[in-house]
């Protein structure tokens, strides 16, 4: 079997969902399980409704919900025609009524908890998976809706829940395998799961890719296909650099670094389950399905080019911690990292000197509280609006003088932190967010003007 995941733009309207049905039909002999995201921008809108309700703006929340309801009704009726639309109409009504009830509840209690946020955020996938299932059936595909909340079991870490693999795998085997055995096409919403007690959770923004990988690893898929709106993994974000090229093949390790450092095309956790089971991951374009996309596998063919790609991760905060009392006494770093851990805040990059430590974090929500706690140990300052730029490639390991080449290309840019060596396949550094377009396009011109045609298209 294979897993095919279609992202938000790939299911954004009736035309897109029609394309998805055609793409899936071609793969029927390979027994696909289909994972779908919410319609494009839907999750943002759901979160906007939740925020409005949490702030007591009842009318605004319900108006946004009405807009979403209409969009889904229109999409379904375009796809299904009036007769068949009547069947799904009641199901969609029920979902949107439940959403409105939740929003009213949030207004009534005057508080939006992470638990309710996740419940609301998950509606996009709940309804998109219903519509896609109906559209497939209408087009003669034997589709069966699988409620992901019954299969993807997670902890209760709302808004970025962690899957419990053992339980999830056995539920996937019980629910999805029999459908495949009967020649059905199981359709699942990405991004959503639930705790063992049945409380709805989400895997974090962009988490449908992760769902696809969890399902693929759980069912020992031959391949996981991530269908999106670009031709594959590109040498950099096409929004930053118009001449970004397609990477034909890339290793798990390289792709994972890129995803972690901001290549939004893959959710950072996607590759972990695939790596464990050694399942190839393909990134493909649902608007250009004939293109061969990017193939991500354990070992990619040797490339002559130094780098495979450049990623940039914005909205980074740099925290500088200066040890006043005890010049980095032993245990000092431990106590600093304990503060971040206590706030459940992940640290991306670290650099140290005799008396100071700088770290980067990517969420600024709890930064004031973290700084207050760090202030008990040392002098602290922090500054947001920074970005990490990361160059990735396995040839970094064996090529001398790379850092000099990189930094001489951007010698006029203020660099706040540098890191190389941790993984041996990446060089990363921190700059002001405003410098990202200039830095990325200059480095891209420098390192990707002439590239190895074996690896890049
Ligand atoms: P989906 O809705 O299909 O999950 P996403 O918007 O999450 O799609 O991811 C695809 C987008 O990721 C692309 O449209 C592109 O703008 C962006 N992107 C950023 N970096 C890269 C990269 N290196 N390669 C390809 N796309 C990238
Ligand atoms: N719909 C979710 C989001 O926008 C998950 C996804 O699309 O991958 O974050
Ligand atoms: Mg995505």
């Amino acid at each position: 079997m294979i897993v095919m995941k279609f992202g938000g733009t790939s299911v954004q309207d009736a035309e897109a969902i029609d394309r998805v049905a055609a793409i899936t039909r071609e793969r029927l002999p390979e027994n696909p399980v289909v994972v779908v995201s919410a319609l494009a921008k839907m999750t943002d809108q759901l979160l906007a409704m939740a925020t409005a309700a949490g702030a007591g703006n009842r009318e605004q929340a319900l108006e946004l919900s009405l807009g979403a309801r209409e969009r889904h009704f229109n999409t379904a009726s375009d796809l299904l025609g009036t007769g068949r639309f009547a069947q799904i109409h009641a199901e969609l009504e029920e979902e949107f009524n439940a959403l409105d009830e939740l929003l009213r509840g949030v207004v009534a209690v005057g508080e939006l908890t992470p638990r309710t946020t996740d419940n609301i955020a998950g509606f996009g996938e709940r309804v998109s998976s219903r519509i896609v299932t109906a559209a497939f059936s209408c087009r003669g595909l034997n589709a069966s809706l699988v409620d992901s909340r019954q299969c993807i079991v997670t902890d209760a870490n709302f808004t970025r829940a962690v899957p419990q693999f053992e339980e999830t795998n056995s539920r996937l085997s019980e629910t999805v395998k029999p459908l495949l055995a009967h020649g059905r096409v199981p359709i699942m919403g990405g991004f959503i799961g639930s705790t063992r007690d049945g409380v709805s959770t989400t895997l974090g923004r962009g988490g449908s890719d992760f769902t696809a990988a969890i399902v693929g690893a759980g069912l020992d898929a031959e391949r996981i296909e991530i269908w999106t709106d670009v031709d594959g993994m590109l040498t950099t974000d096409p929004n930053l650099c118009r001449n970004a090229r397609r990477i034909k093949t890339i290793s798990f390790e390289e792709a994972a670094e890129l995803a972690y450092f901001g290549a939004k095309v893959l959710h950072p956790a996607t590759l972990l389950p695939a790596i464990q089971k050694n399942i190839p991951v393909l990134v493909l374009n649902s608007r250009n399905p004939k293109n061969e996309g990017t193939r991500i596998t354990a070992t990619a063919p040797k490339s002559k080019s130094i780098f495979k790609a450049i990623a940039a991760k914005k909205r980074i905060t740099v925290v500088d911690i200066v040890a006043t009392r005890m010049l980095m006494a032993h245990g000092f770093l431990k106590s600093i990292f304990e503060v971040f851990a206590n706030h459940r805040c992940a640290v991306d990059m670290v650099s140290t000197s005799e008396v100071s430590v700088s770290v980067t974090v990517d969420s600024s929500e709890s930064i004031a509280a973290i700084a207050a706690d760090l202030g008990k140990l040392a002098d602290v300052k922090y500054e947001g609006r920074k970005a990490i730029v990361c160059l990735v490639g396995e040839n970094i390991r064996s090529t001398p003088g790379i850092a000099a080449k990189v930094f001489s290309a951007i010698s006029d840019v203020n660099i706040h932190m540098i890191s190389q060596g941790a993984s041996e396949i990446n060089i990363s550094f921190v700059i002001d967010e405003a410098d990202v377009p200039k830095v990325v396009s200059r480095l891209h011109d420098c390192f990707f003007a002439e590239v190895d045609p074996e690896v890049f298209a």
Side-chain angles (χ1 to χ4, degrees):
M1 56 84 60
I2 61 169
V3 177
M4 305 173 75
K5 176 262 170 176
F6 294 92
T9 44
S10 301
V11 294
Q12 66 184 7
D13 52 24
E15 210 180 307
I17 295 174
D18 201 36
R19 276 197 298 268
V20 165
I23 293 169
T24 308
R25 189 188 301 282
E26 300 241 314
R27 307 282 209 259
L28 284 183
E30 296 185 275
N31 298 321
V33 172
V34 171
V35 174
V36 291
S37 288
L39 274 54
K41 305 265 182 328
M42 199 54 229
T43 311
D44 289 338
Q45 285 161 21
L46 286 160
L47 291 171
M49 290 172 213
T51 309
N57 297 327
R58 186 172 185 274
E59 297 318 313
Q60 193 195 349
L62 293 175
E63 204 175 298
L64 282 167
S65 170
L66 182 63
R69 189 189 287 248
E70 282 169 359
R71 178 179 176 199
H72 285 82
F73 282 5
N74 291 339
T75 306
S77 98
D78 287 352
L79 280 163
L80 304 171
T82 344
R84 294 208 192 220
F85 173 57
Q87 287 171 17
I88 193 184
H89 185 265
E91 292 175 18
L92 294 179
E93 281 270 281
E94 205 176 305
E95 293 279 12
F96 281 103
N97 291 346
L99 172 62
D100 286 350
E101 203 167 314
L102 260 172
L103 293 170
R104 286 193 205 98
V106 171
V107 175
V109 296
E111 189 196 8
L112 178 68
T113 60
R115 175 177 166 148
T116 309
T117 303
D118 262 7
N119 197 347
I120 294 173
F123 272 83
E125 274 72 10
R126 283 161 62 170
V127 287
S128 68
S129 56
R130 283 189 187 278
I131 294 176
V132 169
T133 307
F136 275 28
S137 305
C138 183
R139 282 154 183 73
L141 295 158
N142 282 324
S144 291
L145 179 66
V146 173
D147 186 344
S148 295
R149 292 168 302 165
Q150 308 289 327
C151 292
I152 309 294
V153 183
T154 70
D155 64 9
N157 193 3
F158 297 107
T159 75
R160 53 191 132 185
V162 179
Q164 311 293 294
F165 284 98
E166 224 172 281
E167 179 82 25
T168 300
N169 291 346
S170 68
R171 294 214 196 168
L172 284 167
S173 293
E174 282 162 25
T175 318
V176 181
K177 267 195 188 151
L179 293 172
L180 289 170
H182 285 95
R184 319 268 327 166
V185 180
I187 315 274
M188 304 177 67
F191 180 55
I192 51 177
S194 74
T195 65
R196 278 205 179 82
D197 306 329
V199 181
S200 297
T201 56
T202 71
L203 302 174
R205 293 307 307 272
S208 293
D209 301 330
F210 192 22
T211 306
I214 296 166
V215 174
L219 297 173
D220 290 309
E222 281 148 47
R223 187 166 83 239
I224 297 163
E225 297 184 344
I226 305 291
W227 290 85
T228 184
D229 60 353
V230 285
D231 276 344
M233 282 197 104
L234 308 178
T235 47
T236 192
D237 184 342
N239 299 308
L240 289 174
C241 195
R242 280 169 58 205
N243 45 5
R245 293 160 178 250
R246 174 168 63 90
I247 308 166
K248 293 183 188 169
T249 53
I250 187 165
S251 71
F252 282 139
E253 217 187 336
E254 291 169 323
E257 292 275 347
L258 287 169
Y260 187 76
F261 284 105
K264 186 189 166 217
V265 63
L266 279 187
H267 179 278
T270 310
L271 294 169
L272 298 174
I275 291 170
Q276 266 165 11
K277 289 279 180 83
N278 196 13
I279 303 171
V281 176
L282 269 74
V283 181
L284 298 156
N285 188 349
S286 68
R287 292 181 186 152
N288 185 16
K290 292 274 173 279
N291 190 287
E292 64 189 20
T294 298
R295 192 177 168 81
I296 311 171
T297 51
T299 48
K302 271 263 160 266
S303 154
K304 292 190 204 85
S305 315
I306 305 173
F307 299 119
K308 285 279 171 63
I310 310 171
K313 187 170 173 181
K314 293 190 186 168
R315 283 178 288 280
I316 294 292
T317 297
V318 174
V319 187
D320 294 316
I321 304 148
V322 182
T324 40
R325 289 182 284 277
M326 37 181 184
L327 296 172
M328 297 280 263
H330 71 88
F332 181 66
L333 286 177
K334 178 168 179 274
S335 36
I336 284 176
F337 285 112
E338 258 165 17
V339 172
F340 288 97
N342 292 341
H343 288 271
R344 306 183 76 97
C345 178
V347 168
D348 284 330
M349 207 192 273
V350 185
S351 80
T352 65
S353 77
E354 163 109 48
V355 290
S356 61
V357 187
S358 297
V359 306
T360 67
V361 296
D362 67 357
S363 59
S364 52
E365 307 144 26
S366 44
I367 193 68
I370 292 173
D373 282 356
L374 289 170
K376 295 171 196 155
L377 308 165
D379 283 346
V380 183
K381 16 184 232 313
Y382 60 91
E383 203 178 344
R385 292 179 185 277
K386 300 281 177 274
I388 299 178
V389 173
C390 170
L391 293 119
V392 170
E394 279 174 348
N395 286 345
I396 293 175
R397 268 194 193 111
S398 50
T399 319
I402 290 178
K405 278 197 192 122
V406 169
F407 294 113
S408 63
I410 49 168
S411 55
D412 55 334
V413 175
N414 192 8
I415 315 269
H416 301 283
M417 280 169 74
I418 299 176
S419 155
Q420 188 191 349
S423 78
E424 288 199 306
I425 65 161
N426 104 34
I427 296 179
S428 29
F429 51 91
V430 177
I431 56 173
D432 290 340
E433 212 173 66
D435 286 333
V436 166
K438 173 172 83 181
V439 166
V440 170
S441 58
R442 218 186 282 164
L443 291 173
H444 196 271
D445 287 349
C446 179
F447 292 104
F448 295 92
E450 279 169 46
V451 284
D452 187 346
E454 292 281 302
V455 176
F456 301 93

